[in-house]
Amino acid sequence: MSRSLLILVIAAILACGAGYWLLQETGPSQNESQLALPSLAEHATDVDRITLTNANGILLNARRENDRWQTDVYTDSSELVGRFPVDHEKLASLLQALAQAELVEPKTLKESNYHHLGLQDISANDSLATLVTLASKGKTWQVLVGNNATIGNDRYLRIPNQAQAWLSNSAINLPLTNSEWLQQPILPFDESDFSSIARADGASWQILRASADESFVLKDQLPTQALKYGGVLDAVALNLAGIHFEQLLPTTSLDWESLTPMVTLDVNTAYGHAFRVEIAQQQDSAFLRIANATPSDYWADWIYQIPKFNAEQLNKNIDDFLAIEAQKEAKEPIPSYPIDEGESPQ
């Protein structure tokens, strides 16, 4: 190896080593891992508030009210417009991950290196960190959650007001938007909860059933009419129960009358709920709102932007349920044939 090439190799090794030790510079070494948030595990069931904040503002501000978790909902301009239930499983997973998170490897102590790990204070405009605040009966825990490690699902963590940054062994999942962890789907019912669904606009139809373990039947279906396939009516209930929203909007944020109507459905459940689902469109976007629900129904006071495909799945006419052959037979008169009154057989 030439002298010049050897010098280049040594310089490259030193540069890589310097970058590694830059992030490894720590205080006293530790031989055993420690919990990131001591005492959280023993008080986890008492936590009644979870707040996530980043450089752009409050990402999630969830509070437990009785047995339901709800969070503040903000517009794109950070205006508070109401509260909506949060996906309980996502909150539980976050709480469990933080309670079990261990600080397994100390990283940098230098503030100038925090940005490499996504652990700058959220007061910095370019901070990638999320400040997680947990509260429970006078107790509070806080931790800054940074980038994922290059290998695995480990996360970089730092306790606010402490210089030491750490690598944690816990996979901590966080929402990217204010609406990502809101409870889905829109309606709090399974398809088996619906007892009847009727189209109230245009060419009306109604499907109904006597009990949850029966299939839907089409009201006033003629004996000569056959369904396209066995589950064509049940699919309406399945699609309605499973519809998710892409964006949650306050009712005052959109002029509903300016939209083009698509379909209006009157829905009844086996538990006595009765409400109307209205779906309209504007160019490539579709929107849903609910009318005639009781004031206590949290899902009734919003406009939901939904996928256009899901809107079209509910925009059904009666011809969409019936087999083409059956439709023709029902519409065509019974043919009559002339009788040949020829000679009777001898």
Side-chain angles (χ1 to χ4, degrees):
M1 180 181 295
S2 67
R3 178 181 178 82
S4 58
L5 181 57
L6 179 61
I7 293 174
L8 287 175
V9 171
I10 294 174
I13 293 173
L14 291 176
C16 292
Y20 174 79
W21 289 108
L22 182 68
L23 296 181
Q24 288 295 121
E25 183 180 353
T26 66
S29 62
Q30 65 169 37
N31 296 322
E32 296 182 0
S33 59
Q34 62 188 38
L35 289 175
L37 299 173
S39 79
L40 175 59
E42 59 185 288
H43 296 283
T45 56
D46 296 326
V47 170
D48 55 17
R49 184 155 187 167
I50 299 176
T51 304
L52 309 180
T53 314
N54 58 23
N56 296 319
I58 297 176
L59 189 61
L60 187 80
N61 187 24
R63 293 191 294 271
R64 186 171 62 185
E65 300 172 2
N66 297 322
D67 293 330
R68 176 180 293 170
W69 281 89
Q70 297 197 80
T71 187
D72 294 336
V73 178
Y74 301 90
T75 64
D76 293 338
S77 58
S78 300
E79 176 188 0
L80 177 63
V81 292
R83 297 181 61 73
F84 198 84
V86 191
D87 188 321
H88 181 267
E89 292 184 2
K90 293 186 183 299
L91 289 182
S93 296
L94 173 61
L95 191 57
Q96 181 180 18
L98 291 173
Q100 297 176 351
E102 295 181 343
L103 306 176
V104 297
E105 186 179 343
K107 293 297 180 180
T108 185
L109 282 162
K110 291 184 177 180
E111 182 178 351
S112 59
N113 293 330
Y114 290 160
H115 70 280
H116 293 294
L117 308 177
L119 287 176
Q120 288 177 287
D121 289 337
I122 60 172
S123 57
N125 292 332
D126 59 345
S127 173
L128 300 177
T130 299
L131 175 63
V132 180
T133 303
L134 310 172
S136 165
K137 297 180 180 179
K139 293 182 178 294
T140 302
W141 299 265
Q142 283 192 318
V143 62
L144 282 166
V145 180
N147 298 337
N148 283 310
T150 306
I151 300 176
N153 294 320
D154 297 350
R155 281 272 198 171
Y156 295 113
L157 304 179
R158 183 169 68 86
I159 305 301
N161 301 321
Q162 292 186 13
Q164 182 68 68
W166 296 87
L167 176 66
S168 171
N169 64 348
S170 188
I172 301 172
N173 296 315
L174 299 173
L176 298 177
T177 66
N178 175 244
S179 62
E180 186 177 342
W181 279 12
L182 298 183
Q183 184 169 297
Q184 299 271 14
I186 294 174
L187 297 175
F189 303 110
D190 294 327
E191 64 275 11
S192 60
D193 295 328
F194 299 131
S195 57
S196 72
I197 303 171
R199 178 157 191 168
D201 63 314
S204 61
W205 48 259
Q206 184 179 20
I207 61 174
L208 63 164
R209 59 183 168 191
S211 63
D213 58 354
E214 295 183 15
S215 294
F216 278 97
V217 297
L218 180 64
K219 185 179 180 181
D220 297 330
Q221 181 180 344
L222 300 175
T224 56
Q225 293 176 316
L227 299 177
K228 283 189 173 180
Y229 54 91
V232 66
L233 302 179
D234 296 324
V236 177
L238 187 65
N239 291 330
L240 181 61
I243 195 165
H244 285 58
F245 61 90
E246 298 174 325
Q247 188 175 2
L248 185 65
L249 304 169
T251 55
T252 57
S253 68
L254 186 65
D255 180 11
W256 188 266
E257 303 306 320
S258 67
L259 306 178
T260 303
M262 291 184 68
V263 61
T264 300
L265 301 174
D266 286 332
V267 183
N268 288 274
T269 74
Y271 314 112
H273 291 82
F275 53 93
R276 170 166 286 188
V277 175
E278 299 174 289
I279 300 177
Q281 62 183 330
Q282 186 179 67
Q283 297 179 351
D284 293 330
S285 299
F287 301 89
L288 180 151
R289 72 176 181 180
I290 298 165
N292 302 337
T294 61
S296 60
D297 292 328
Y298 68 87
W299 35 273
D301 297 326
W302 301 89
I303 292 176
Y304 304 87
Q305 183 173 343
I306 64 175
K308 188 75 171 292
F309 172 76
N310 294 137
E312 292 169 346
Q313 285 183 312
L314 294 172
N315 186 15
K316 299 295 184 183
N317 294 312
I318 195 167
D319 289 348
D320 295 315
F321 301 140
L322 299 175
I324 296 177
E325 293 76 8
Q327 296 176 42
K328 289 181 178 179
E329 292 176 5
K331 294 176 182 178
E332 293 178 357
I334 298 175
S336 60
Y337 301 96
I339 299 176
D340 184 5
E341 299 181 354
E343 294 183 356
S344 299
Q346 298 297 324

